[in-house]
């Protein structure tokens, strides 16, 4: 079992920045996958960024490439999502997720993830 707790959401104006955090605990093992997903109003949950532990492979959705960065502090068991140049379209509930096996074909597919946090709200105003 893996437990995930997000924090760091809030409200920001377009062009601003936020950093989301996710505390990871439980039986992750030495090889696992952490990811950020989001779900906006009336939208399906979509993958944002993925990080493969320990090799460090990252995958980003096209909509956030160059603006968002996923990273980890392994010692502290924390996952981060640095979000820069935010746009109103980034408004959503952001979720941290985990799985044990990495498959590049399903990296951003929420159905492939077994463990989820409760989510944190990000609101970007124009």
């Amino acid at each position: 079992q893996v437990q995930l707790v997000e924090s760091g959401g809030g409200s920001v104006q377009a062009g601003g920045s936020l950093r989301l955090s996710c505390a990871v605990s439980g039986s992750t093992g030495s090889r696992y996958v952490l990811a950020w997903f989001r779900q906006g109003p009336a939208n399906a949950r979509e993958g944002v960024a993925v990080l493969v532990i320990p090799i460090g492979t990252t995958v980003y959705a096209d909509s956030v490439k160059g603006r968002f960065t996923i990273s980890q502090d392994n010692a502290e068991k924390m996952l981060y999502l640095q979000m820069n140049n935010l746009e109103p379209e980034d408004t959503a509930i952001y979720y941290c997720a985990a799985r044990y096996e990495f498959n590049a074909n399903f990296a951003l597919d929420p159905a492939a993830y077994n463990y989820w946090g409760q989510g944190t709200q990000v609101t970007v105003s124009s």
Side-chain angles (χ1 to χ4, degrees):
Q1 291 289 332
V2 177
Q3 292 80 45
L4 306 165
V5 179
E6 305 94 335
S7 60
S11 297
V12 65
Q13 289 192 323
S17 298
L18 281 175
R19 189 177 81 156
L20 305 183
S21 301
C22 175
V24 183
S25 62
S27 304
T28 59
S30 61
R31 297 172 59 183
Y32 54 102
V33 182
L34 296 174
W36 288 98
F37 288 81
R38 67 185 181 186
Q39 187 164 12
N43 293 337
R45 192 167 296 191
E46 63 173 350
V48 175
V50 176
L51 177 65
V52 183
I53 310 299
I55 60 176
T57 298
T58 57
V59 178
Y60 291 94
D62 288 342
S63 58
V64 306
K65 282 179 182 177
R67 300 188 299 122
F68 290 11
T69 303
I70 189 171
S71 63
Q72 186 206 27
D73 183 332
N74 192 46
E76 297 295 327
K77 287 284 222 178
M78 295 292 294
L79 178 71
Y80 302 103
L81 184 68
Q82 178 65 44
M83 305 185 294
N84 298 327
N85 194 21
L86 283 160
E87 304 168 351
E89 293 73 22
D90 296 317
T91 295
I93 299 174
Y94 283 72
Y95 298 91
C96 180
R99 57 184 289 193
Y100 290 113
E101 299 294 331
F102 178 68
N103 184 326
N105 292 325
F106 303 100
L108 295 172
D109 184 353
Y113 288 77
N114 309 106
Y115 303 100
W116 293 86
Q118 81 289 350
T120 185
Q121 177 70 47
V122 171
T123 303
V124 184
S125 58
S126 57

